Amino acid sequence: MRFTDKVCLVTGGTSGIGQAACVRLGAEGGTVIALGRDKKDGAETVRLIKEAGGQAVFMACDLAKPKAIETTVQKVLVKFHRVDVLVCDAAMMTFEPLVKLPLEKWDLLMQVNLRSLAQLTQLCLPHMPRGSAIVAISSVHAHQTTAAVVPYATSKGGLEAFVRGMSRELDFRQTRINAIAPGAVDTPMLWSNPNVKNGNEKIDKATVGKPEELAAAIAFMASAEASFIHGTTLAVDGGRLAQL
């Protein structure tokens, strides 16, 4: 039980990889705070965590709104007093060529995918005890991307640079920070991608990962077993990047 008595805050916790991470952390003894926008989905996540033997609460939070992030972290600290594990999974994508993309969409995506990571790190760090960990969810799109998803790929490249930079500011014995870069994973985000639907991005269903496989990697990177891993990105992609 690697997360017994650990307070685990997970963004994007109501579907896909984030939800699987919540269930895994809870099953390993963690008290999970799942963040998301939809209360119904949040209730389902809490049910799954409790069914797996964990403890959980859902808190509604729109990561596009900095004030909402600040308020939510304050609620977490009032209730739990600390954050042992921070998993930043929530993300959005756009599917337009850059020349056709309204810059308001660029700004919104960067707010959700990148600025929220910086804000959550800034707010949580003073309340993260020795042995704590931050795991940020990147993407193979930071390294190998397709047309019409430039903002998403840019945000994930920035996320990995953030992780590397923050590792120089943190004592890894106090708080570690790392990233996970998933490949194609069986989530709503993958199958709703227009590039996948129209065949511009080829997906071999035989090599698509499961959310639970990503959750296992997240749990490892957040655990004391990874105590000497700091400032790096772990690709969990079924070998996709190895084919470059």
Side-chain angles (χ1 to χ4, degrees), residues 147-163:
V149 293
V150 169
Y152 181 76
T154 301
S155 72
K156 295 305 185 179
L159 180 151
E160 293 188 16
F162 178 87
V163 165

Side-chain angles (χ1 to χ4, degrees), residues 64-94:
K65 300 176 180 178
K67 185 61 178 178
I69 295 173
E70 183 179 353
T71 300
T72 301
V73 172
Q74 288 175 348
K75 289 179 180 178
V76 170
L77 294 174
V78 167
K79 187 174 180 64
F80 299 103
H81 312 296
R82 70 183 193 279
V83 175
D84 296 286
V85 174
L86 172 62
V87 178
C88 292
D89 169 72
M92 62 173 291
M93 296 184 78
T94 57

Side-chain angles (χ1 to χ4, degrees), residues 86-158:
L86 172 62
V87 178
C88 292
D89 169 72
M92 62 173 291
M93 296 184 78
T94 57
F95 304 100
E96 298 157 277
L98 185 66
V99 294
K100 296 182 179 179
L101 181 80
L103 285 178
E104 292 80 4
K105 287 188 177 181
W106 174 284
D107 292 341
L108 176 62
L109 182 145
M110 292 300 170
Q111 170 64 53
V112 172
N113 293 14
L114 194 54
R115 190 185 188 279
S116 67
L117 168 62
Q119 186 180 6
L120 284 161
T121 300
Q122 191 176 60
L123 292 171
C124 292
L125 266 178
H127 308 280
M128 298 187 77
R130 186 175 179 83
S132 55
I134 299 169
V135 182
I137 309 306
S138 181
S139 169
V140 293
H141 278 277
H143 309 271
Q144 177 197 49
T145 192
T146 55
V149 293
V150 169
Y152 181 76
T154 301
S155 72
K156 295 305 185 179

